Amino acid sequence: MTLRKIRPATALSRAALVGSGLLIGSGLLAGCQHDSGRQPASVPKSSSAPHGYVEGAEETAEQQPRLVLADAGTGAVGVLDLITEDITPLKRTDGVRGLRADGRFAYLRTGSATHVVDTGTWMVDHGDHVHYYRAGIRDVGPIGAADTARIHSDPAVTAVSSARGAGELFDRKRLESGTVPRGRALPGTDGGAIVPYKEHLLVASAGAGRDTVEVRDRDGARVVTLEEPCAEARGEAVTRRGAVFGCADGALLVSEDKGTFGAEKIVYGEDVSGSDRAVDFRHRAGSTTLAARSGAEAVWILDVTDRAWTRIRTGPVVAANTAGEGAPLLALGRDGALSAYDIATGKRTVRKELLTKEAASGTASPVIEIDTTRAYINDAAAKKVYEIDYNDRLRLARTFPLGFAPTYMVETGR
């Protein structure tokens, strides 16, 4: 048993949090069962700026994962560093209704705005090598959209899709500097997803009779409308092999080669009802294997590399995810048990009692965040987060008791 510290916001973030009512003293983190397998690793500093240098950030030799946790009831928000096991409490955000992340930033949606948190950890993928960074954690501030539906980013822009109006683009560099820039509306994107990809914007149309994906430039001007349709587009993800959009008949894979964009349909291969469609893709960053719930009692696996769907009958499930590339499918059942499935055979290989039935099937639905070695599951009822070693028969590696309910959870640093 180790005693873990509640660490206030770093010097970088104090200025943004003055007068914000930090949650110091609320008992955010009490202690844990320790088995991390993670150690800090810094890259030696050079007197001259090395390749990959980022001012104000420390480059490290390995991923620096952090969890952003939000309590829908009390408004408590904290960032848990999975390397140091410290937690940084942030400004209380009342009325949180959703939480999303884009690798570095977390976005807390409320009834009046979407609040941006810089978690201070991210990676830059250059294809043949990756840079990992860590910096201070800070509350950046609110952006205008209260009805945020989806958020996707690349190094230049953050695209915020609205559930009811036109989407907006925000200057990513301004967010990285700690300020919220004025959003720029993108006409003709009402209700549709906007995905920055290959220095362009992919815009999926929404609504009856609209089934196209457009490629636009950074100014919003249409470059081309992809010939392959995507009826009733819902759900999207970016992988190493292209951007994926969920369609009524399967998925649309959009790729780019030397400035030319193309699209390929990956069909289900069977009749699939609307309720059984894949509409919320989950995956490990960098993986080309996606998981999505299919109705109430199954999970879809989309192998982007092989252009193939597999439907695994799991029984009633509330959350699912996979690290891909030979890793199992992880599915959390409505009974609170976590199960691992062999994706190739569809057979369950191990089952572990984890949450209570009430916690798994309540209003605060848990999620499964996953990286290269561990998975994380939030238990709002028990005010805990569990770290699972999915390569060791779902061994419980660490338990993080909290002083608040982690209704929502996302992982950053990837």
Side-chain angles (χ1 to χ4, degrees), residues 59 87 152 170:
E59 186 171 3
I87 190 166
H152 296 282
F170 294 86

Side-chain angles (χ1 to χ4, degrees), residues 162-167 186-192 204-206 210:
S162 171
R164 291 185 291 272
L186 199 61
T189 60
D190 295 20
S205 299
R210 301 169 65 188

Side-chain angles (χ1 to χ4, degrees), residues 100-136:
R100 294 181 178 271
D102 63 6
R104 173 174 177 172
F105 294 93
Y107 304 86
L108 297 105
R109 181 172 59 86
T110 72
S112 59
T114 297
H115 296 262
V116 183
V117 171
D118 184 351
T119 68
T121 180
W122 68 96
M123 60 173 280
V124 178
D125 188 348
H126 288 294
D128 59 343
H129 67 282
V130 177
H131 294 276
Y132 301 105
Y133 299 95
R134 63 183 293 130

Side-chain angles (χ1 to χ4, degrees), residues 7 12 16 24 38-39 104 121 135 146 163 171-173 181 187 203 253 269 277 287 317 322 369-370 376 380 385:
R7 177 170 293 179
L12 181 61
I24 304 296
R38 299 182 185 273
Q39 296 293 330
R104 173 174 177 172
T121 180
D171 186 326
R172 179 79 168 185
K173 297 301 181 184
V203 178
L253 175 63
R277 280 184 54 188
S287 171
V317 62
T322 181
E369 291 287 333
I370 201 163
Y376 299 91
V385 171

Side-chain angles (χ1 to χ4, degrees), residues 7 36-45 57-68 79-86 88 101-105 118-124 130-137 285 370-374 376 387 398 410-414:
R7 177 170 293 179
S36 69
R38 299 182 185 273
Q39 296 293 330
S42 299
V43 173
K45 293 181 174 60
E58 175 190 4
E59 186 171 3
T60 67
E62 63 178 17
Q63 191 177 58
Q64 303 291 301
R66 291 172 178 171
L67 296 177
V68 183
V79 180
L80 173 62
D81 190 314
L82 293 167
I83 299 291
T84 66
E85 300 184 357
D86 295 334
T88 300
D102 63 6
R104 173 174 177 172
F105 294 93
D118 184 351
T119 68
T121 180
W122 68 96
M123 60 173 280
V124 178
V130 177
H131 294 276
Y132 301 105
Y133 299 95
R134 63 183 293 130
I137 299 166
I370 201 163
D371 58 31
T372 54
T373 61
R374 298 288 193 265
Y376 299 91
E387 180 183 76
R398 287 187 287 180
V410 293
E411 184 179 1
T412 61
R414 53 186 188 163

Side-chain angles (χ1 to χ4, degrees), residues 270 272-278 292-301 310-320 329-335 339 341 346 348:
E270 60 182 89
V272 175
S273 66
S275 61
D276 287 336
R277 280 184 54 188
R293 285 190 293 166
S294 175
E297 299 196 359
V299 174
W300 283 112
I301 295 293
T310 301
R311 190 169 187 261
I312 298 177
R313 298 189 178 277
T314 56
V317 62
V318 297
L329 163 67
L330 302 184
L332 184 68
R334 291 191 179 278
D335 59 358
S339 295
Y341 293 84
R348 182 165 60 190

Side-chain angles (χ1 to χ4, degrees), residues 223-295:
V223 175
V224 65
T225 298
L226 299 174
E227 293 183 4
E228 188 68 44
C230 181
E232 303 172 19
R234 288 181 61 195
E236 58 282 333
V238 177
T239 76
R240 285 179 177 269
R241 294 188 178 275
V244 175
F245 292 88
C247 313
D249 56 351
L252 187 69
L253 175 63
V254 181
S255 58
E256 178 267 352
D257 182 25
K258 299 179 180 179
T260 300
F261 289 81
E264 179 182 354
K265 181 63 65 65
I266 307 175
V267 297
Y268 286 122
E270 60 182 89
D271 291 334
V272 175
S273 66
S275 61
D276 287 336
R277 280 184 54 188
V279 296
D280 184 17
F281 295 105
R282 310 280 295 177
H283 68 127
R284 175 182 60 81
S287 171
T288 56
T289 304
L290 312 182
R293 285 190 293 166
S294 175

